[in-house]
Amino acid sequence: MPRKNGPGRARRGETPGAPASSELMPEKTDFAAVQQTSLDTPPRGVTRVTNPDSPEERTMDQKTVFTQMQQYGTEWLKLVTEGTNRFTAALAEVEKIEKQGIAQAVSAVDEAGRVAKEAIGATEQISAQWRKAVNEYAQRTLEMLTPKN
């Protein structure tokens, strides 16, 4: 079956007597859109690691790869060591603060114990004085109520 709009053939107008589209837009004659993305093959750089601007693939020398891996390993070890040192320093600070807190708690408990002992002693003295005073008042009241001969 022959193509209806082959090269060099003008499109027919939709209505009889209407000008063909090539006559309306003479600069766009025989326009066909080029497909930008392929449907059956992946674009370059998806399956391979390549520079899209460079036509050939680049491979690295094994010695270069080994040297770069050594440098990466050295930097990684340095980073891990630095992190571990910071963590150890932070734990030392926590230990110092914890010891201060425990010392303050022990001191507060000792002070509370001392204050409690003093309060108990003061209560004992007040109770003894109260008993003595009540006994004296009871004796005087008894003396006042008993007749004298």
Side-chain angles (χ1 to χ4, degrees):
M1 181 168 185
R3 287 177 49 182
K4 290 185 179 179
N5 292 323
R9 265 181 133 181
R11 297 188 96 162
R12 282 187 261 159
E14 287 137 26
T15 59
S21 61
S22 61
E23 293 172 8
L24 290 174
M25 295 197 279
E27 69 275 355
K28 299 244 180 185
T29 58
D30 297 328
F31 175 75
V34 179
Q35 190 169 344
Q36 297 296 319
T37 58
S38 61
L39 299 175
D40 56 344
T41 58
R44 290 183 51 161
V46 173
T47 57
R48 295 182 187 177
V49 180
T50 59
N51 182 356
D53 298 331
S54 176
E56 74 259 357
E57 251 182 77
R58 298 170 92 187
T59 58
M60 294 181 72
D61 181 27
Q62 291 294 331
K63 189 175 182 181
T64 306
V65 171
F66 184 71
T67 304
Q68 287 182 351
M69 288 185 71
Q70 280 183 330
Q71 290 172 353
Y72 176 78
T74 304
E75 290 297 319
W76 176 257
L77 184 61
K78 182 178 167 184
L79 179 70
V80 169
T81 303
E82 183 178 316
T84 304
N85 290 342
R86 286 184 181 187
F87 186 70
T88 304
L91 287 179
E93 282 294 317
V94 167
E95 180 183 13
K96 189 188 309 181
I97 292 170
E98 189 177 70
K99 284 183 178 180
Q100 288 175 354
I102 290 172
Q104 287 178 355
V106 167
S107 174
V109 167
D110 289 343
E111 184 68 20
R114 185 186 63 78
V115 169
K117 285 179 184 177
E118 287 179 6
I120 291 170
T123 303
E124 185 181 20
Q125 286 177 355
I126 291 171
S127 179
Q129 288 175 357
W130 183 79
R131 282 192 310 271
K132 183 179 175 185
V134 167
N135 193 17
E136 285 177 12
Y137 294 134
Q139 290 294 331
R140 284 186 192 168
T141 304
L142 189 62
E143 286 175 8
M144 288 171 72
L145 293 176
T146 44
K148 292 187 183 179
N149 297 1

